[in-house]
């Protein structure tokens, strides 16, 4: 009994050791808090420029001794108009000074403010004023001039080392534009009615092809492409990506807007409402205890061996040990426990982590303290779902088994099937879920089958549709990693903490490195923090851009989503994300790459304390880094989007050995991140083998508890191993053919199928048309007539038939 009690104690202490770290109090959202998003725009190297912006504003500002905050609205507007006129001068230096003065306004005229809240108040006021007088359109024109500035590009290409000074003009313009977009999209209940009108008008303009005949997002994508091609290495890529992200977020909408659009579209298509709001369900979930690592298991076994040794010594000292064994009715159970100990040492984790399984074969259990009790969930968090294809497959197998015939896609005929099968079909149909994508695929097939009688498709010209049409001609360049015109994924690769420095890799640090490199240890530490923070912000922006585009395109039309997703897959996005997670993910999430006293707007309101090595190493006091956890969740969601219902891509996860990488990510005790990791593990579980499933029962249990159940899905047993071979090329080629037909039918009007073009069958109009023949044909007409007509025999009987 003492041994039994010891085993329960050791296993419960093991379970406590695995779950001793608290849940991360992280709330997933479209963006971080406004102050954090503002501070991430600036690198710490740009700190001295805040004072320079203020100086330029004060030189331009003529108010007879009054402060900006003391003027009335009419005077504010007059000065804003004067500054706007100053942007049109020819002299570059003068233009830059005026742009810096406007940037100081957008930064909230901070020298006259005494608190961060006051800075944010004046930022909002000044930015709505600047937008109202037409500043944004002028900034876009200037940005286009800088993008096309061949002298600056060629100078940057020739430079051996690019620094902050090479991108000064671009950074000032992008800073103002980012502050305007980020500030205006913030919801404030106390906003004036005219501000709300300005906001909606600005949203519509950003998503429309008003700037250079294309949406602003397409222009920024062009900057990304030009930077990655090596023609403009001085572009401040972090600022470009942040502005691109916020423009897409503002014009298309965030995650809650996506949910609302989804509900509305289902209603329009006559589909039943969603079984639950996924955002709310995920927010109410709690994190699971992570599975034990190898080092944890070794440490637990060593502790357990020491405790067992002490127990044995105590038993030897008992005089009546033999008598106790003769009277003990549970002696056989004890010996079986010893055998189980040997099994545990092999590879089985779960005997250590599930004490309740032992209690079932033991004598009346020793009562545990309340903290050690196993709590079972009251119900599953998700309603189960079934696809139409799943019902068809179930009926086909049932008919083959019981009757010996099949009926194809008929899901109504149940004649001759046993009563339990009827009940099963009823349950499956009760939870059948038809997605918007299935309706869109069916409609597209109908359009392809009946191009003439199918009628004209009505395409709603929403912001998502306009963006897709804008980037369609160049989408492979924006996504591709292997193409010479490399873009988002190459930047993501360069910013990933696991990537090695290569001579041929792109330089993403152009807008963070100072002109003069640091000379002291303290300056080097500060720059090191700045560089790491810079990379983290780039990863955050790219992951958010990709996820938003994938989700919006999928909702707008499934083949728009598949087009982008396939380019990402061909560009090695799946191994790239796995490479990103193949690091100490807990260290990445808890990284302290920030210096809070240097963050805007804190640094412009408070007096800067003297920085020391200790203060730089300390970082902030947060439990985790919001942006890094946000990036990880986004990348996991992208991986889920790329692999969902794609057998060949699921097999890529298996081939790239993603299971141990993903399992390590479960150590992060955050429910949303764990959910997307578990989803990725679930789709490949059947291919990982019985031994893996046996050794990872805790992970399997977590999948059962947290991931949505697909009825008839044999994921946990591997009985149906999707017998079809893993033919990646055939699957992707079939998908690509469907995508190309969709793009050609809807967007490529110049190369329409000639068989479907209208034909003039009237003899008089056809013969009456004047045809201009080439001059060489007219000169050799007799020769052509002899060769093509007179010398060739014609079988009139065959021709008439």
């Amino acid at each position: 009994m003492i041994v039994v009690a010891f085993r329960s104690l050791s296993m419960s202490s093991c379970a406590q050791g695995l779950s001793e770290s608290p849940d991360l109090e992280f709330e997933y959202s479209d963006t971080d808090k406004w102050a954090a998003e503002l501070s991430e725009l600036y690198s710490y190297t740009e700190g001295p420029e805040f004072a320079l912006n203020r100086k330029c504003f004060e030189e331009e500002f003529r108010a007879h001794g009054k402060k900006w905050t003391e003027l009335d609205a009419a005077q504010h507007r007059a000065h804003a108009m004067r500054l706007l006129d100053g942007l049109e001068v020819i002299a570059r230096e003068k233009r830059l000074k005026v742009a810096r003065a406007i940037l100081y306004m957008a930064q909230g005229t901070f020298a006259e403010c005494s608190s961060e809240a006051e800075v944010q108040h004046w930022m909002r006021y000044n930015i709505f004023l600047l937008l109202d007088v037409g500043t944004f359109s002028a900034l876009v024109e200037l940005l286009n001039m800088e993008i096309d500035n061949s002298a600056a590009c060629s100078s940057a290409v020739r430079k051996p080392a690019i620094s902050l000074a090479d991108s000064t003009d671009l950074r000032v313009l992008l800073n103002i534009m980012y502050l305007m977009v980020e500030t205006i999209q913030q919801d404030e209940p106390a906003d004036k009615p005219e501000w709300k009108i300005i906001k909606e008008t600005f949203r519509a303009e950003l998503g429309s092809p008003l700037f250079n005949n294309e949406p602003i997002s397409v222009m920024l994508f062009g900057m990304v492409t030009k930077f990655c091609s090596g023609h403009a290495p001085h572009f401040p890529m972090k600022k470009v990506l942040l502005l691109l992200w916020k423009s897409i977020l503002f014009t298309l909408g965030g995650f809650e807007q996506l949910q609302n659009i989804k509900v509305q579209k289902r209603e329009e298509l006559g589909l039943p409402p969603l079984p639950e709001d996924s955002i709310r369900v995920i927010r109410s979930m709690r994190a699971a205890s992570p599975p034990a690592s190898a080092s944890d298991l070794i440490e637990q076994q060593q502790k357990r061996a020491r405790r067992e040794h002490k127990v044995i010594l105590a038993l030897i000292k008992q005089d009546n040990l033999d008598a106790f064994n003769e009277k003990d009715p549970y002696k056989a159970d004890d010996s079986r426990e010893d055998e189980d100990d040997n099994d545990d040492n092999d590879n089985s984790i779960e005997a250590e982590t599930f004490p309740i399984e032992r209690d079932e074969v033991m004598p009346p259990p020793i009562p545990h303290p309340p903290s050690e009790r196993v709590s079972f969930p009251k119900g599953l968090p998700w309603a189960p779902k079934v696809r139409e294809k799943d019902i068809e497959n179930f009926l086909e197998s049932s008919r083959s088994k019981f009757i010996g015939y099949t009926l194809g896609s008929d899901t109504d005929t149940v004649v001759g099937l046993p009563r339990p099968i009827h009940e099963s079909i009823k349950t499956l149909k009760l939870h059948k879920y038809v997605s918007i994508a299935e309706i869109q695929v069916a409609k597209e097939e109908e359009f392809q089958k009946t191009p003439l009688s199918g009628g004209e498709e009505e395409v709603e010209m929403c912001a998502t549709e306009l963006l897709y049409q804008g980037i369609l001609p160049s989408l492979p360049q924006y996504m591709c990693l292997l193409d010479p015109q490399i873009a988002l994924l190459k930047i993501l690769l360069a910013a990933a903490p696991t990537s090695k420095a290569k001579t041929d890799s792109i330089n993403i640090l152009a807008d963070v490195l100072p002109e003069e490199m640091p000379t002291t240890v303290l300056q080097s530490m500060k720059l090191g923090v700045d560089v790491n923070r810079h990379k983290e912000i780039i990863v955050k922006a790219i992951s958010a851009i990709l996820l938003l585009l994938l989700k919006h395109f999928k909702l707008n039309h499934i083949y728009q989503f598949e087009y982008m997703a396939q380019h990402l897959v061909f560009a090695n996005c799946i191994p790239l994300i796995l490479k990103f997670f193949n690091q100490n993910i807990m260290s990445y999430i808890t990284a302290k790459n920030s210096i809070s006293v240097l963050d805007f707007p804190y640094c412009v309101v408070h007096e800067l304390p003297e920085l020391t090595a200790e203060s730089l190493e300390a970082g902030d006091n947060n439990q985790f880094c919001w942006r890094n956890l946000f990036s990880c969740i986004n990348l996991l969601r992208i991986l889920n989007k790329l692999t969902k219902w794609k057998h060949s891509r699921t097999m890529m996860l298996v081939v790239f050995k993603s299971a141990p990488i993903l399992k390590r990510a479960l150590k992060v005790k955050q429910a949303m991140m764990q959910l997307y990791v578990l989803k990725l593990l679930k789709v490949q579980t059947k291919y990982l083998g019985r031994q893996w499933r046996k050794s990872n029962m805790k992970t399997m249990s977590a999948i059962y508890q947290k991931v949505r159940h697909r009825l008839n899905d044999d994921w946990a047993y591997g009985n149906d191993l999707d017998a079809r071979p893993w033919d990646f090329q055939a699957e992707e080629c079939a998908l690509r053919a469907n995508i190309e037909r969709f793009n050609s039918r809807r967007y490529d009007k110049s190369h329409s199928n000639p068989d479907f073009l209208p034909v003039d069958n009237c003899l008089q109009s056809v013969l009456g048309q004047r045809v201009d023949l080439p001059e060489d044909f007219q000169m050799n007409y007799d020769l052509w007539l002899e060769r093509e007509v007179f010398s060739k025999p014609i079988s009139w009987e065959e021709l008439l038939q």
Side-chain angles (χ1 to χ4, degrees):
M1 287 297 292
I2 295 173
V3 176
V4 172
F6 162 73
R7 284 194 53 79
S8 290
L9 178 63
S10 75
M11 287 184 288
S12 62
S13 64
C14 168
Q16 281 182 340
L18 291 175
S19 59
E20 60 189 7
S21 57
D23 286 13
L24 300 182
E25 297 299 324
F26 171 82
E27 186 172 336
Y28 185 74
S29 183
D30 296 313
T31 62
D32 201 351
K33 293 173 184 173
W34 188 31
E37 295 295 339
L38 293 177
S39 70
E40 289 180 355
L41 174 63
Y42 310 101
S43 61
Y44 297 142
T45 322
E46 291 179 272
E49 295 190 14
F50 290 121
L52 183 58
N53 298 339
R54 175 187 172 184
K55 182 183 175 185
C56 292
F57 176 82
E58 288 171 351
E59 288 176 2
E60 296 288 333
F61 184 52
R62 298 183 295 276
H64 307 293
K66 285 188 177 181
K67 294 182 177 179
W68 174 262
T69 52
E70 296 170 354
L71 301 182
D72 59 24
Q75 291 170 311
H76 284 154
R77 189 177 181 87
H79 185 66
M81 294 289 284
R82 270 201 308 274
L83 289 176
L84 186 58
D85 292 338
L87 285 178
E88 297 180 4
V89 298
I90 297 174
R92 174 181 287 273
E93 294 79 9
K94 176 67 175 172
R95 246 191 355 253
L96 179 60
K97 280 189 175 181
V98 174
R100 284 196 179 279
I102 293 174
L103 176 55
Y104 177 71
M105 280 182 65
Q107 289 169 341
T109 52
F110 50 79
E112 301 172 23
C113 301
S114 57
S115 68
E116 294 174 55
E118 196 176 349
V119 172
Q120 291 174 355
H121 165 77
W122 280 104
M123 276 184 68
R124 197 163 178 79
Y125 174 85
N126 293 343
I127 282 171
F128 271 103
L129 171 64
L130 289 170
L131 186 63
D132 194 29
V133 298
T135 309
F136 194 84
S137 300
L139 293 171
V140 173
E141 289 178 15
L142 287 174
L143 184 62
N144 266 319
M145 284 173 55
E146 292 299 327
I147 292 170
D148 298 332
N149 187 348
S150 56
C153 292
S154 58
S155 170
V157 169
R158 287 195 301 270
K159 274 195 172 185
I162 299 170
S163 67
L164 206 65
D166 296 296
S167 59
T168 302
D169 293 21
L170 280 166
R171 283 188 294 106
V172 171
L173 296 174
L174 290 166
N175 281 343
I176 305 170
M177 293 169 73
Y178 176 87
L179 290 173
M180 293 179 82
V181 173
E182 173 61 19
T183 303
I184 286 169
Q185 73 175 331
Q186 296 292 324
D187 288 323
E188 287 288 339
D191 277 354
K192 305 171 188 174
E194 57 265 28
W195 282 10
K196 293 180 180 177
I197 296 169
I198 291 172
K199 176 179 177 178
E200 291 308 315
T201 307
F202 184 49
R203 188 203 303 271
E205 288 176 354
L206 271 187
S208 303
L210 298 180
F211 306 105
N212 204 20
N213 295 323
E214 58 189 12
I216 190 74
S217 303
V218 176
M219 187 179 80
L220 295 169
F221 265 126
M223 289 185 73
V224 175
T225 306
K226 194 170 181 179
F227 170 80
C228 288
S229 66
H231 298 312
H234 65 298
F235 280 2
M237 205 32 54
K238 183 189 82 172
K239 295 182 191 295
V240 173
L241 291 168
L242 284 173
L243 179 57
L244 176 58
W245 168 34
K246 294 307 172 74
S247 300
I248 292 171
L249 181 63
F250 186 40
T251 53
L252 306 190
F255 301 128
E256 293 199 8
Q257 288 91 333
L258 275 162
Q259 187 77 0
N260 295 335
I261 297 169
K262 193 173 184 179
V263 169
Q264 183 184 343
K265 282 212 167 192
R266 289 186 68 82
E267 194 175 330
E268 290 171 359
L269 293 170
L271 296 172
L274 293 166
E276 69 274 303
D277 185 340
S278 56
I279 295 173
R280 291 180 183 174
V281 171
I282 292 174
R283 282 178 181 168
S284 64
M285 292 173 73
R286 302 301 301 167
S289 298
S293 64
S295 58
D296 293 337
L297 288 173
I298 293 168
E299 186 181 348
Q300 287 151 16
Q301 286 173 2
Q302 288 173 349
K303 287 180 181 178
R304 182 171 143 198
R306 287 196 294 269
R307 290 183 183 178
E308 282 181 345
H309 182 64
K310 290 178 182 177
V311 170
I312 291 168
L313 289 176
L315 289 174
I316 292 172
K317 291 178 183 178
Q318 295 181 29
D319 296 330
N320 58 346
L321 180 63
D322 295 335
F324 175 81
N325 282 338
E326 288 174 1
K327 295 176 182 179
D328 187 3
Y330 300 110
K331 184 178 179 183
D333 288 344
D334 287 346
S335 63
R336 188 164 62 248
E337 294 293 343
D338 293 335
E339 291 172 6
D340 287 342
D341 287 349
N342 296 330
D343 294 339
D344 292 344
N345 291 332
D346 292 337
N347 201 12
S348 177
I349 298 172
E350 303 315 315
E352 296 295 329
T353 57
F354 280 95
I356 191 167
E357 293 177 5
R358 296 293 186 186
D359 290 346
E360 293 173 1
V361 295
M362 290 179 184
I366 296 169
H368 299 288
S371 61
E372 296 176 12
R373 287 178 187 164
V374 179
S375 58
F376 293 96
K378 294 179 181 178
L380 296 170
W382 306 98
K385 282 183 180 178
V386 182
R387 294 184 299 166
E388 182 75 19
K389 185 180 177 183
D390 298 331
I391 300 175
E392 289 176 11
N393 292 341
F394 177 73
L395 269 169
E396 285 297 281
S397 61
S398 299
R399 287 172 185 146
S400 299
K401 180 178 178 182
F402 292 105
I403 302 169
Y405 69 85
T406 58
L407 291 177
S409 59
D410 184 350
T411 57
D412 297 321
T413 305
V414 291
V415 176
L417 295 176
R419 195 72 193 164
I421 300 296
H422 291 207
E423 294 296 325
S424 300
I425 294 164
K426 184 179 176 182
T427 305
L428 290 173
K429 288 187 174 181
L430 184 67
H431 293 98
K432 186 173 85 168
Y433 176 79
V434 180
S435 66
I436 296 171
E438 291 175 68
I439 303 292
Q440 290 171 341
V441 168
K443 282 186 177 179
E444 184 59 27
E445 287 177 358
E446 193 64 30
F447 277 121
Q448 297 292 350
K449 284 179 186 174
T450 56
L452 297 177
S453 60
E456 197 69 29
E457 183 184 11
E458 292 183 10
V459 180
E460 183 188 355
M461 299 307 290
C462 58
T464 308
E465 183 65 34
L466 289 168
L467 178 59
Y468 183 78
Q469 290 184 16
I471 66 176
L472 178 61
S474 307
L475 189 64
Q477 296 177 12
Y478 302 147
M479 304 301 156
C480 188
L481 184 63
L482 304 175
D483 195 274
Q485 300 282 342
I486 309 170
L488 289 176
L489 288 183
K490 185 167 185 180
I491 300 173
L492 181 61
L493 177 63
T498 51
S499 63
K500 301 288 188 292
K502 293 182 181 177
T503 52
D504 59 345
S505 64
I506 54 174
N507 177 19
I508 57 171
L509 304 176
D511 52 333
V512 70
L513 295 177
E515 286 186 87
E516 297 179 2
M517 294 308 287
T519 54
T520 66
V521 175
L522 190 65
Q523 289 175 347
S524 299
M525 289 179 66
K526 179 184 167 186
L527 183 60
V529 170
D530 207 3
V531 167
N532 289 335
R533 173 177 176 266
H534 184 83
K535 290 182 177 181
E536 290 172 2
I537 295 167
I538 286 177
V539 173
K540 171 186 174 182
I542 292 178
S543 66
I545 289 167
L546 292 177
L547 181 60
L548 277 174
L549 288 177
L550 286 170
K551 287 188 75 68
H552 277 285
F553 285 156
K554 187 173 184 180
L555 205 49
N556 197 52
H557 199 288
I558 183 63
Y559 282 132
Q560 293 177 351
F561 161 81
E562 295 291 5
Y563 184 56
M564 178 179 170
Q566 193 169 69
H567 277 295
L568 287 172
V569 171
F570 288 166
N572 285 337
C573 185
I574 292 175
L576 173 56
I577 294 176
L578 293 175
K579 178 186 170 91
F580 178 88
F581 280 98
N582 194 19
Q583 60 171 310
N584 187 335
I585 208 70
M586 278 302 296
S587 298
Y588 184 72
I589 282 170
T590 56
K592 304 290 185 186
N593 291 315
S594 61
I595 308 169
S596 54
V597 293
L598 297 181
D599 284 341
F600 178 87
Y602 184 93
C603 64
V604 295
V605 177
H606 301 88
E607 195 167 336
L608 182 64
E610 186 180 353
L611 291 176
T612 62
E614 291 75 19
S615 64
L616 288 178
E617 287 177 351
D620 53 35
N621 297 321
N622 293 332
Q623 187 186 12
F624 56 88
C625 176
W626 196 96
R627 65 173 165 265
N628 289 355
L629 189 47
F630 176 77
S631 302
C632 289
I633 292 175
N634 286 344
L635 291 172
L636 287 168
R637 295 183 76 183
I638 291 166
L639 204 51
N640 269 286
K641 290 249 170 249
L642 296 181
T643 55
K644 189 175 183 181
W645 303 123
K646 301 288 191 301
H647 176 250
S648 59
R649 297 178 192 174
T650 302
M651 293 305 296
M652 287 176 72
L653 292 177
V654 179
V655 169
F656 289 125
K657 295 181 171 56
S658 66
I661 296 171
L662 293 170
K663 193 181 167 190
R664 283 199 299 272
L666 286 175
K667 290 183 179 180
V668 181
K669 289 197 70 177
Q670 204 284 324
M672 191 170 195
M673 183 165 170
Q674 286 187 347
L675 173 67
Y676 289 108
V677 170
L678 292 171
K679 280 186 172 187
L680 289 166
L681 287 171
K682 177 184 175 181
V683 295
Q684 53 178 317
T685 298
K686 65 170 79 172
Y687 308 106
L688 296 175
R690 185 178 175 187
Q691 185 57 43
W692 187 93
R693 295 194 294 272
K694 183 180 176 183
S695 303
N696 292 275
M697 286 307 296
K698 188 166 187 183
T699 305
M700 302 284 283
S701 298
I703 293 173
Y704 266 116
Q705 288 181 7
K706 296 190 176 296
V707 182
R708 188 192 300 278
H709 285 252
R710 293 273 175 179
L711 302 184
N712 272 17
D713 186 2
D714 200 17
W715 67 271
Y717 304 102
N719 295 329
D720 173 21
L721 284 178
D722 275 335
R724 63 187 187 279
W726 176 35
D727 193 345
F728 176 86
Q729 195 170 6
E731 286 187 39
E732 296 296 340
C733 284
L735 179 59
R736 172 175 273 189
N738 289 334
I739 295 166
E740 287 178 352
R741 280 195 292 268
F742 164 76
N743 284 333
S744 177
R745 180 189 66 79
R746 195 189 255 199
Y747 303 111
D748 195 2
K749 302 299 181 186
S750 60
H751 295 90
S752 301
N753 192 327
D755 295 337
F756 300 144
L757 293 175
V759 179
D760 187 358
N761 293 320
C762 179
L763 210 61
Q764 288 182 338
S765 64
V766 171
L767 295 177
Q769 290 177 4
R770 179 176 176 78
V771 179
D772 293 327
L773 298 171
E775 188 176 344
D776 57 341
F777 180 80
Q778 294 180 27
M779 290 174 63
N780 299 300
Y781 176 66
D782 295 335
L783 184 63
W784 177 86
L785 204 63
E786 178 66 33
R787 189 181 68 228
E788 298 293 334
V789 180
F790 298 142
S791 64
K792 285 195 174 182
I794 299 173
S795 176
W796 295 102
E797 289 79 8
E798 288 184 17
L799 188 64
L800 291 173
Q801 287 174 2

